[in-house]
């Protein structure tokens, strides 16, 4: 049986949250909130690829096909779509993720780069373009070639100590440093923000199609999905692949999602070893890292997914899972039974992402037509 890779110290609550609890007995999040509808799509109609909430439920980050990302202030009913636009990529932005303290954002792009941003100011701290580091000296540039493939996914992990990104058949793990601006160290002034490769994880498949990791507590777990229909579980401590799931879907897995801690909900430690996968074979699957059979423990079918990369997620109460669908609806499934419990309608195009607010009962759906829709339990 796969040993647990989840750290024992669950450092979940931070200075933004004191004792607010998520109502785990809340009703279905099926009531549309028209007051949060925006007069114009946040990216003027460009397709949305993924979204994520900050840990306080006060920001919504959006990755878009128009080469930008947006950080919207919530609730939209009050702020009316105001926020920060992250401008700098030269191709569609594939993903966006926040650091554990929400002070940094990382975007991945089809332009073969990733960028680290301040979501508060919109400034770019540094660009990850070269495979090994961003040391500007000529001697250090030997064998430091640019990333040759689009960066499909990027995220922080291990309590923000590292960055992981996927490009082609490899996953790159980086140390990084962002200068605070204090002091007069000449080296810091010359290179205030820098990164250096700590490890490179090769895969036999041609493409790493998805990755995920825990970041809100100390864990060396990294999950990757590849184009030959496999899922790999890596232990970054000894830097080894500890298990591989074969023939996970009939099509390539495009989304992989761990159950992440929420600041308002407490669950047994074992629940953080559950993860979801979705593929363009009209199915979503639940897996358990503790299971010795290496087979899915629940199959979710009912939504339509044959072409697009549809994202999936767990609700903070751990009673439901959500995913998008190409039939212009979002689907909520009961985690225990695997049955469809709600179809969220009213969208104008394929729904590509469903994410749950970590603080209070609310979810957001993101569409290829660039629109967002918010739903709650009342």
């Amino acid at each position: 049986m796969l040993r647990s890779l989840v750290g024992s110290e669950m450092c979940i609550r931070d200075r933004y949250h004191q004792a607010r609890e998520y109502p785990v007995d809340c009703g279905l999040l099926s009531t549309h909130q028209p007051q949060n509808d925006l007069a114009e799509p946040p990216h003027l109609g460009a397709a949305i690829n993924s979204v994520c909430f900050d840990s306080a439920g006060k920001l919504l980050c959006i990755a878009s096909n128009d080469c930008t990302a947006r950080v919207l202030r919530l609730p939209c009913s009050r702020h009316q779509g105001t926020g920060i636009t992250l401008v700098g990529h030269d191709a569609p932005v594939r993903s966006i993720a926040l650091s554990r303290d929400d002070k940094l954002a990382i975007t991945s792009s089809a332009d073969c780069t990733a960028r680290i941003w301040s979501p508060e100011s919109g400034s770019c701290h540094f660009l990850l373009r070269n495979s090994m580091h961003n040391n500007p000296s000529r001697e250090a540039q030997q064998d430091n070639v640019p990333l040759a493939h689009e960066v499909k996914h990027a995220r922080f992990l291990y309590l923000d100590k590292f960055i992981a990104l996927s490009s082609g058949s490899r996953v790159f793990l980086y140390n990084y440093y962002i200068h605070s601006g204090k002091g007069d160290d000449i080296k810091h002034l010359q290179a205030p923000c820098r990164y250096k490769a700590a490890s490179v994880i090769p895969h036999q498949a041609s493409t790493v199609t998805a990755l995920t990791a825990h970041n809100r507590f100390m864990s060396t777990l990294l999950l990757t999905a590849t184009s030959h229909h496999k899922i790999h579980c890596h232990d970054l401590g000894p830097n080894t692949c500890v298990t591989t799931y074969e023939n996970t879907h009939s099509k390539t897995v495009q989304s992989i999602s761990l159950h992440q801690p929420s600041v308002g909900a407490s669950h047994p430690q074992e629940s953080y070893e559950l993860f979801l996968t979705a593929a363009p074979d009209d199915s979503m699957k639940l897996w358990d890292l503790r299971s010795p059979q290496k087979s899915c423990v629940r199959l979710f079918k009912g939504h339509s997914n044959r072409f697009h990369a549809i994202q999936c997620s767990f609700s903070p109460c751990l009673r439901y899972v959500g995913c998008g669908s190409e039939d212009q609806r979002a689907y909520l499934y009961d985690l225990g039974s695997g049955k469809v419990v709600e179809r969220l309608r009213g969208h104008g195009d394929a729904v590509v992402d469903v994410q749950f607010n970590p603080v209070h009962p609310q979810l957001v759906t993101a569409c290829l037509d660039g629109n967002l829709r918010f739903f709650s339990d009342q």
Side-chain angles (χ1 to χ4, degrees):
M1 180 180 292
L2 176 67
R3 68 180 179 86
S4 173
L5 298 177
V6 179
S8 59
E9 295 186 5
M10 303 293 287
C11 303
I12 299 174
R13 298 185 184 275
D14 56 28
R15 63 188 178 91
Y16 296 110
H17 323 90
Q18 298 301 320
R20 185 172 182 176
E21 294 186 0
Y22 189 97
V24 294
D25 58 348
C26 65
L28 273 173
L29 307 184
S30 58
T31 303
H32 175 227
Q33 296 180 308
Q35 68 273 23
N36 287 319
D37 288 346
L38 299 176
E40 292 184 351
H43 292 271
L44 299 179
I48 295 175
N49 292 316
S50 67
V51 296
C52 70
F53 285 96
D54 75 329
S55 59
K58 296 180 179 178
L59 299 174
L60 182 69
C61 301
I62 308 166
S64 173
N65 265 4
D66 70 351
C67 309
T68 70
R70 286 275 290 167
V71 181
L72 297 184
R73 299 176 63 190
L74 300 179
C76 290
S77 58
R78 179 187 307 167
H79 299 290
Q80 297 299 311
T82 60
I84 299 294
T85 301
L86 308 179
V87 180
H89 285 294
D90 298 322
V93 179
R94 298 304 190 194
S95 71
I96 184 168
L98 289 167
S99 60
R100 179 176 176 270
D101 60 7
D102 300 322
K103 293 182 179 179
L104 298 173
I106 184 168
T107 54
S108 64
S109 174
D111 65 4
C112 305
T113 70
R115 289 177 179 262
I116 304 294
W117 311 81
S118 165
E120 181 178 358
S121 66
S123 60
C124 180
H125 288 297
F126 62 86
L127 170 70
L128 287 95
R129 173 179 290 156
N130 293 336
S131 58
M132 303 309 293
H133 55 76
N134 62 345
N135 188 328
S137 66
R138 180 177 300 178
E139 294 79 7
Q141 289 302 320
Q142 296 179 2
D143 301 323
N144 185 31
V145 297
L147 296 171
H149 305 277
E150 72 170 298
V151 181
K152 284 185 172 291
H153 297 275
R155 63 180 301 116
F156 300 95
L157 70 158
Y158 205 71
L159 301 179
D160 293 340
K161 298 296 191 300
F162 298 96
I163 294 169
L165 63 83
S166 62
S167 178
S169 63
R170 296 183 291 178
V171 171
F172 296 84
L173 190 68
Y174 296 103
N175 295 301
Y176 67 99
Y177 172 79
I178 296 178
H179 184 38
S180 63
K182 299 178 181 179
D184 56 355
D185 189 303
I186 294 178
K187 291 184 178 180
H188 287 174
L189 293 176
Q190 291 176 341
C193 303
R194 55 185 182 268
Y195 68 90
K196 183 178 180 180
S199 179
V200 180
I201 305 174
H203 293 72
Q204 293 182 351
S206 61
T207 307
V208 176
T209 57
L211 67 80
T212 190
H214 284 299
N215 189 39
R216 292 203 165 276
F217 56 86
M218 191 169 292
S219 170
T220 57
L221 171 69
L222 176 71
L223 293 176
T224 59
T226 58
S227 54
H228 57 8
H229 305 180
K230 294 183 180 181
I231 298 172
H232 302 277
C233 179
H234 306 271
D235 187 346
L236 298 179
N239 195 20
T240 59
C241 179
V242 293
T243 192
T244 297
Y245 299 81
E246 305 275 353
N247 301 316
T248 54
H249 286 258
S250 61
K251 297 290 183 67
T252 300
V253 172
Q254 297 292 340
S255 174
I256 184 167
S257 176
L258 277 160
H259 173 223
Q260 300 285 355
S262 169
V263 295
S266 297
H267 296 288
Q269 177 176 310
E270 292 77 14
S271 69
Y272 301 109
E273 299 194 42
L274 299 174
F275 67 95
L276 292 167
T277 57
D281 58 1
D282 295 332
S283 74
M284 178 171 58
K285 294 183 179 182
L286 175 68
W287 308 79
D288 190 336
L289 290 170
R290 300 164 294 170
S291 174
Q293 285 79 25
K294 298 183 182 179
S295 59
C296 78
V297 297
R298 192 83 71 243
L299 174 65
F300 306 94
K301 289 185 72 72
H303 62 284
S304 174
N305 182 197
R306 304 300 296 179
F307 304 104
H308 300 293
I310 299 294
Q311 308 301 315
C312 53
S313 60
F314 292 91
S315 67
C317 65
L318 204 57
R319 294 160 58 204
Y320 309 109
V321 294
C323 70
S325 178
E326 292 167 358
D327 62 2
Q328 302 184 13
R329 292 181 286 187
Y331 282 69
L332 295 181
Y333 292 89
D334 182 271
L335 181 62
S337 68
K339 295 181 179 179
V340 176
V341 292
E342 192 64 48
R343 296 173 177 84
L344 304 178
R345 297 171 170 82
H347 307 90
D349 206 334
V351 180
V352 294
D353 203 355
V354 175
Q355 294 296 323
F356 294 86
N357 191 308
V359 177
H360 57 85
Q362 183 189 55
L363 66 79
V364 64
T365 60
C367 299
L368 285 181
D369 63 6
N371 282 299
L372 303 168
R373 286 175 71 86
F374 292 85
F375 296 83
S376 71
D377 61 341
Q378 57 185 356

